[in-house]
Amino acid sequence: MKLVVVTIFLFSGLFFFCIGTIGLFRFKDVFTRAHSAAKCDTLGAVLSLLALIIYNGVSFVSFKLILVVVFLWITNPTATHLITRAEFNRRK
């Protein structure tokens, strides 16, 4: 059962990484590309790391991975916002 849940999380993460990559290639505007990359990259990484946490069980490594997930949740949207804001100000 544990392996099934890990597989579902890993393939879900891979799915979102692939969708984000397709969005980077297909969208023409910087802002839509950034939106696609930020949302899909964050969700794909979080799902993949959650799969690793479930696979590893309760340990100190799982705690470190949870810290990485929290760090990603904070930094990815913030970095994307700053990059798009800089592009918006550059175009003014």
Side-chain angles (χ1 to χ4, degrees):
M1 181 65 181
K2 179 175 155 179
L3 190 58
V4 172
V5 173
V6 168
T7 304
I8 290 171
F9 274 112
L10 276 178
F11 280 116
S12 298
L14 180 64
F15 172 76
F16 281 106
F17 277 133
C18 289
I19 294 299
T21 303
I22 291 169
L24 282 175
F25 289 132
R26 298 220 18 154
F27 291 139
K28 296 183 182 359
D29 189 21
V30 173
F31 302 110
T32 54
R33 285 181 178 180
H35 178 75
S36 170
K39 299 296 179 191
C40 293
D41 184 36
T42 303
L43 189 56
V46 167
L47 287 172
S48 299
L49 289 173
L50 286 176
L52 290 173
I53 291 169
I54 293 168
Y55 182 75
N56 196 31
V58 178
S59 68
F60 189 64
V61 175
S62 297
F63 176 71
K64 289 180 185 179
L65 288 172
I66 290 171
L67 289 178
V68 170
V69 166
V70 170
F71 182 73
L72 282 173
W73 267 338
I74 294 170
T75 57
N76 277 356
T78 305
T80 303
H81 176 74
L82 291 174
I83 290 168
T84 55
R85 179 102 170 164
E87 177 65 19
F88 180 76
N89 289 335
R90 187 187 69 84
R91 289 184 181 190
K92 272 187 169 179

